Amino acid sequence: MISKPKIKVETPTTINDTDLADLCDITEQAINAGGGFGWLKTPQRKILIKYWKGTVLIPNRKLIVGRINKAIAGTLQLIFHPKNNEAQQNFANISSHFVAPWARGFGLAKEMIRIAEQKALLFGSDFIHLDIRETQSAAIKLFESQGYKKWGTNPYYAIVGGKNLKGYYFYKKIK
């Protein structure tokens, strides 16, 4: 009998070598599957290492990682506005949310969103904003299923394979 995988979501403040390898591996897998949060081609490993090490150093950015059986299988970044932007302190942004192809279908993406919403509330946010490329249909359905409302479209959001793509903007009131 196959046991159900154990899911855990955390907000690390440092990244050890094992987690760094997991992050780089799943980033490469997600890019190759077409969902690498903006990357179209897999960058060199040293670039990915710098990216992930730097992510936990940014004060107004919280890295949320989802684990399946202790291995990092997905990430989400919750971004808050700097203190000098007092007019927008009541909302956070979700960015760079993805789950490795092998880890999809276990509820990890939904759990990372749930934890991100909890963290945003703790930091005083009333709303969460995010944007998604039109080709990311699974992500669009996921966020809509979690109560996110589409409020706008950017007809010139990204260029992929020489083709212009739209981007969709979403929000959710969490308080």
Side-chain angles (χ1 to χ4, degrees):
M1 182 173 157
I2 298 174
S3 62
K4 185 178 176 184
K6 184 179 177 193
I7 292 173
K8 185 176 183 183
V9 176
E10 304 171 334
T11 308
T13 55
T14 61
I15 300 175
N16 64 39
D17 289 343
T18 301
D19 288 348
L20 185 58
D22 285 350
L23 287 165
C24 291
D25 288 345
I26 66 168
T27 302
E28 290 167 348
Q29 293 165 16
I31 294 166
N32 292 333
F37 59 90
W39 270 310
L40 301 175
K41 294 180 276 184
T42 307
Q44 294 176 347
R45 182 58 72 114
K46 66 182 180 182
I47 293 171
L48 290 176
I49 289 169
K50 284 181 184 180
Y51 175 83
W52 288 114
K53 283 183 173 182
T55 298
V56 294
L57 299 176
I58 302 169
N60 63 325
R61 185 176 297 248
K62 301 296 175 207
L63 175 63
I64 295 172
V65 299
R67 296 179 185 274
I68 293 184
N69 297 335
K70 298 185 182 178
I72 294 178
T75 75
L76 178 154
Q77 293 178 44
L78 190 59
I79 303 168
F80 299 95
H81 289 280
K83 297 292 180 202
N84 67 300
N85 188 347
E86 293 174 331
Q88 295 181 322
Q89 290 299 307
N90 68 323
F91 73 85
N93 290 293
I94 285 179
S95 176
S96 308
H97 181 232
F98 72 96
V99 174
W102 60 266
R104 294 176 183 161
F106 295 108
L108 188 60
K110 288 179 184 176
E111 184 64 8
M112 286 190 298
I113 293 168
R114 188 183 73 75
I115 296 298
E117 290 173 359
Q118 285 181 350
K119 295 281 182 197
L121 282 168
L122 286 173
F123 280 88
S125 299
D126 299 323
F127 299 90
I128 295 181
H129 297 173
L130 60 101
D131 53 272
I132 305 172
R133 203 167 52 218
E134 71 176 310
T135 54
Q136 304 293 338
S137 56
I140 292 167
K141 288 178 188 172
L142 169 68
F143 281 103
E144 288 176 337
S145 78
Q146 299 304 298
Y148 287 78
K149 307 289 185 212
K150 183 172 138 184
W151 66 266
T153 302
N154 178 347
Y156 304 103
Y157 181 79
I159 297 175
V160 178
K163 181 181 175 191
N164 184 65
L165 300 177
K166 292 184 241 176
Y168 301 127
Y169 295 89
F170 292 84
Y171 76 93
K172 181 177 181 180
K173 183 171 177 43
I174 57 172
K175 186 174 183 183

